[in-house]
Amino acid sequence: MRKRPHYLAGFGSLVWLFVVGLPLYVMLVATFQSRADYAANGPLGLPENLTLDNYVNDLNDGFAQYFLNTVVVTVAVVAIVLVLVPPLAYAIARGDGKATGRVFRLFLLGLAIPSQAVIVPMFYLINEAGLYDNLLGVILPTAAFAMPVCTLVLCGVMRDITPELYEAMTVDGASPRRIFRDLVLPLSRSGLSTIVVFSSLQAWNGFLFPLVLTQSSENKVITMGLYDFQTEHGVDIPGLLAAVVLSMLPILLVYLFARRALVQGLMGVGGK
């Protein structure tokens, strides 16, 4: 039996496409125009003379350094999360004692504490540790605030592994370390991909910690570097939007390659 088309759903899809597509069109078209053309044509006008000067000028005016700093922060945060969270989640998922549950609840308290609430003591702590205006001073708190969510996600994935698989490896004489390496990690690839994407987003889009914990232009990240396009004479909108496009591309590629594993990992948050 042939189904009738759902016109309301089709209309809603067109509205959604327009709402999402129009800002993308405005952003991309503006990046290929000069400031004079953009001012003459407006945000919705078609470009007359396409140019790549906005992208070239961004890279030559220091944006390349901001990009590199952001890459360093992101890679370091992801590395810390991947080193600390999987064994922590494994210990929580396999532990059945009251102490494990209390530690887990205490650790997840970080979900209820926003970074804005602790930024002042965090500033004094980083300053006393000699890490102010240092990328390491941004990396450590960013990784710390990403770990509670990553632990919650990975615990849910590891709890979905059937007890029979654990018991089979235990009967074969496998140690907890071997079970973790040969069983848990391979079956937790979706969760690992999820925490990689999440921690990458947290680090790449971080604004508060770089704003408060860094000062010099040598340690600026992308989110802080976007301020350079605002001067006392106005805002270089084409240059700013070109910088936004450059800042979007790496994290967009990470999401495109890991989106399926990301959805699967989030589906396992609740566990069984």
Side-chain angles (χ1 to χ4, degrees), residues 88-129:
L88 174 63
Y90 173 64
I92 294 172
R94 292 295 294 160
D96 54 2
K98 293 183 179 180
T100 302
R102 290 171 182 169
V103 170
F104 185 45
R105 287 192 292 270
L106 181 63
F107 190 81
L108 293 183
L109 186 62
L111 293 174
I113 302 176
S115 57
Q116 295 86 348
V118 297
I119 189 61
V120 174
M122 182 67 68
F123 169 79
Y124 284 110
L125 180 63
I126 293 296
N127 191 45
E128 289 297 322

Side-chain angles (χ1 to χ4, degrees), residues 234-255:
V235 180
D236 181 5
I237 296 179
L240 173 61
L241 294 179
V244 171
V245 171
L246 290 174
S247 66
M248 286 171 50
L249 289 178
I251 207 66
L252 180 61
L253 292 175
V254 171
Y255 171 76

Side-chain angles (χ1 to χ4, degrees), residues 60 72-73 83 90 158 169 194 218 242 244 246 252 269:
N60 291 335
V72 171
V73 171
V83 169
Y90 173 64
M158 291 181 179
M169 291 203 68
T194 302
E218 291 79 8
V244 171
L246 290 174
L252 180 61
V269 170

